[in-house]
Amino acid sequence: MTASSIMRKIFGDWRLGRIIMFTLITSSVSYGLGATMFNFLLAGLVGATLSAGGFFFDYLGDYQKDRESGNLKNPIARGTLSPNGGLIIIISCFTISSVLCIIINPWALIPLICLIGVIGGLVQGLLDTALLRSFSLGALQGFYVLIGALFAYRFELRIVLLALFLFFAMTGARVLGDTRDLPYDQKINTSTIPKKYGVRWGGWFLLINELIAYTIGIMIYLLGLFGIGFLICMITTIVIGVPLNLLFMFRPSPKIARIVNILSLAILGSLFVVAMFIGKL
């Protein structure tokens, strides 16, 4: 069995893809804002360990509900991993990321602690309302951006706008994941936008948040944080993103949500990472 197949068995294909994306987001932001190669690599390691620890935190908190609903993508729910094994992974990942922040820039502990706090709030049900679940996903993305920026020793208003770009983009995108998982969520006591308000209202929620994100992306360029490469990536994101959002709005279903969610992660997420690399002034 290869290393990649073992990782897929533990995480699942889509979770592994998200860990890779969070790693790239954190490291690329640090690079785009002028971090040294050493800090760039360590920022990626923080993104990887934080996201892995977060996913296992979520797995551990939800494994009983996932087992009841039949959602066996959770390795603890299906018995691939024991709860104690999951706890060891969580502690190890969060410890590594915290130590790296202390070494490089202790200020990075603030968004790191906030990020872990949001995950904990979701796991414990404190943020388990339809809207708060969506806003929480957006907040998590923003914290990865802030960690990357602090590894480049940068923090200013324009950096906050960069975090807000991903905040709104991913707040809206939560509707896609929740619609994809709607058949499972209907069996358990989980509150999501498509479950509580309907998938069509969820489509409007997605579109409005994405349009706000696109506007912020253009503002970031106009304020001079990044160069023309960033603008090109933002325009490409809009050209691809709007049709995907409209596709979901007019054909809202778990199947379409899964397709749009995968494309959004693969294409639009990649464009953000590319924007950080080629948009550097």
Side-chain angles (χ1 to χ4, degrees):
M1 185 176 289
T2 64
S4 64
S5 64
I6 294 173
M7 293 291 284
R8 286 191 178 92
K9 187 174 182 180
I10 295 175
F11 290 104
D13 286 332
W14 71 277
R15 293 269 185 171
L16 181 57
R18 287 188 178 276
I19 289 173
I20 293 172
M21 184 55 63
F22 290 141
T23 302
L24 291 173
I25 286 174
T26 312
S27 59
S28 65
V29 167
S30 69
Y31 176 86
L33 295 174
T36 64
M37 184 57 63
F38 182 68
N39 284 17
F40 158 73
L41 294 173
L42 290 186
L45 182 56
V46 169
T49 52
L50 260 182
S51 56
F55 283 133
F56 277 102
F57 199 175
D58 184 53
Y59 282 148
L60 187 61
D62 288 348
Y63 82 92
Q64 291 180 330
K65 288 196 301 183
D66 288 340
R67 189 174 289 167
E68 292 172 6
S69 68
N71 185 8
L72 299 183
K73 291 179 289 187
N74 182 333
I76 301 177
R78 67 172 179 263
T80 304
L81 183 72
S82 70
N84 286 338
L87 184 61
I88 291 172
I89 293 174
I90 294 166
I91 294 173
S92 299
C93 287
F94 287 164
T95 299
I96 291 171
S97 56
S98 298
V99 169
L100 290 174
C101 287
I102 292 171
I103 292 173
I104 300 300
N105 186 350
W107 286 107
L109 283 173
I110 296 176
L112 181 145
I113 292 170
C114 291
L115 190 152
I116 295 174
V118 170
I119 296 171
L122 288 168
V123 170
Q124 295 300 316
L126 300 177
L127 303 175
D128 194 18
T129 68
L131 291 175
L132 285 180
R133 281 171 60 88
S134 294
F135 292 137
S136 297
L137 179 63
L140 292 176
Q141 312 292 320
F143 290 137
Y144 282 110
V145 170
L146 295 179
I147 291 170
L150 288 168
F151 267 55
Y153 305 110
R154 294 282 299 275
F155 187 81
E156 56 201 65
L157 175 61
R158 292 178 294 182
I159 306 299
V160 174
L161 287 176
L162 192 62
L164 286 175
F165 169 79
L166 278 189
F167 170 80
F168 284 105
M170 297 309 297
T171 291
R174 182 62 187 249
V175 169
L176 297 172
D178 287 338
T179 303
R180 176 200 62 206
D181 294 337
L182 188 58
Y184 300 112
D185 291 338
Q186 287 175 333
K187 301 176 183 178
I188 57 178
N189 186 26
T190 297
S191 180
T192 67
I193 286 176
K195 182 179 176 180
K196 183 173 182 178
Y197 301 108
V199 290
R200 291 201 175 277
W201 193 91
W204 282 105
F205 184 82
L206 167 67
L207 182 62
I208 291 170
N209 277 278
E210 298 306 305
L211 291 177
I212 294 173
Y214 301 151
T215 302
I216 292 174
I218 299 301
M219 286 176 57
I220 290 170
Y221 168 75
L222 294 176
L223 289 173
L225 182 57
F226 292 100
I228 190 66
F230 179 88
L231 178 62
I232 292 172
C233 288
M234 284 297 106
I235 292 174
T236 306
T237 297
I238 295 170
V239 169
I240 296 174
V242 170
L244 287 176
N245 298 334
L246 292 176
L247 171 63
F248 175 75
M249 281 191 66
F250 290 111
R251 297 183 60 188
S253 69
K255 181 179 179 180
I256 295 298
R258 180 178 61 83
I259 294 172
V260 175
N261 196 48
I262 291 173
L263 291 175
S264 295
L265 176 65
I267 300 175
L268 304 183
S270 297
L271 281 170
F272 177 84
V273 172
V274 172
M276 294 297 98
F277 283 108
I278 70 172
K280 185 177 179 180
L281 289 173

